[in-house]
Amino acid sequence: MDPERVLKRLSQAGVDADYELDLRGLDRAHAEESVRRMLERNRFTEPRSIRVRLQPPPEGGGETLFQPIGRLLLEARRHGLLSRLSPLPPETGVGYRIETIGKAERD
């Protein structure tokens, strides 16, 4: 496969989504709870794509939610709640694009 084509496809993966969960400005506990609730609600709906937005790192570095939320989403994928998980392309912001399994594929 052509490497340029693969890179283009990966960079465009986070551009479109059915819904967006904006966690910018939340502390870790609230952000994780928001993700858990979103995952639980989406177990009973049609499959959909969701863009999860996170706060960019502070000037000069510092702790972000990228890893903790990423671990939570990875665990959800391992448990069969997500069919796809990828980071957003840098030009679209910090976060993830996920695709839920939803009810349609589980029944």
Side-chain angles (χ1 to χ4, degrees):
M1 187 176 265
D2 180 24
E4 285 187 38
R5 193 169 142 218
V6 171
L7 287 174
K8 183 177 181 181
R9 193 176 81 208
L10 286 173
S11 70
Q12 293 176 340
V15 175
D16 64 328
D18 298 325
Y19 295 93
E20 181 171 288
L21 177 63
D22 191 347
L23 303 175
R24 294 177 285 193
L26 296 180
D27 61 25
R28 181 175 175 172
H30 287 99
E32 287 178 346
E33 186 58 30
S34 293
V35 170
R36 284 186 189 98
R37 278 194 245 152
M38 178 269 305
L39 290 170
E40 181 63 24
R41 278 191 310 267
N42 281 288
R43 288 180 49 212
F44 306 105
T45 64
E46 296 295 317
R48 59 180 66 166
S49 59
I50 302 166
R51 186 176 23 236
V52 180
R53 292 221 181 253
L54 301 171
Q55 188 88 16
E59 284 281 325
E63 191 174 315
T64 69
L65 294 176
F66 191 80
Q67 284 186 343
I69 297 300
R71 284 188 206 108
L72 188 62
L73 294 171
L74 188 57
E75 190 65 25
R77 185 170 182 197
R78 286 184 186 131
H79 283 94
L81 299 175
L82 302 178
S83 62
R84 187 168 283 188
L85 165 64
S86 60
L88 291 176
E91 62 273 4
T92 63
V94 178
Y96 296 95
R97 183 181 184 280
I98 61 174
E99 291 181 15
T100 63
I101 298 291
K103 188 173 179 166
E105 292 182 28
R106 295 174 89 62
D107 290 338

